Amino acid sequence: MNSSMGRAMRALTGVAVTFSGIAMAADTAPQTVTFTKDIVPIFQEKCQDCHRKGSMAPMSLVTYEETRPWAKSIRQRVALKQMPPWHIDKTVGVTHFRQ
């Protein structure tokens, strides 16, 4: 897994923690994660193409109010690597990928 994807996965996994107001530990010191500063940039890059009103995803993840009810589900789906989705046929073309 490349470092930017690793950072994104760690931040998304921390979404549920953020919503409960618990500080996440950074590599060297405790740091509070906020929706606006830490989560929104990741959602804008990785999620909101689909997770916005009028798009294909079942819920919008644009505002805190829209996202908050889904925090536990987001954490679980990211931890299980079900989101972001990676639909690929490993029997066609390139068949080996770095994790």
Side-chain angles (χ1 to χ4, degrees):
M1 183 180 314
N2 65 37
S3 62
S4 66
M5 182 57 104
R7 283 193 303 275
M9 295 296 283
R10 283 192 300 277
L12 286 171
T13 301
V15 168
V17 175
T18 299
F19 293 128
S20 63
I22 299 171
M24 284 182 50
D27 292 331
T28 57
Q31 178 181 349
T32 300
V33 176
T34 69
F35 183 78
T36 303
K37 179 180 66 137
D38 301 297
I39 305 305
V40 167
I42 295 167
F43 278 8
Q44 287 173 339
E45 181 182 346
K46 306 285 185 189
C47 309
Q48 290 177 357
D49 283 345
C50 298
H51 287 279
R52 58 184 162 76
K53 289 180 182 166
S55 193
M56 68 183 85
M59 74 287 211
S60 177
L61 299 177
V62 173
T63 68
Y64 175 85
E65 291 76 18
E66 293 170 333
T67 306
R68 176 62 183 97
W70 299 99
K72 288 181 182 180
S73 178
I74 293 166
R75 179 181 180 197
Q76 181 181 36
R77 299 294 293 272
V78 171
L80 293 173
K81 297 184 179 184
Q82 294 172 332
M83 282 285 151
W86 183 253
H87 307 292
I88 189 159
D89 183 348
K90 291 185 179 182
T91 64
V92 177
V94 178
T95 58
H96 300 284
F97 300 91
R98 265 192 341 195
Q99 298 259 359

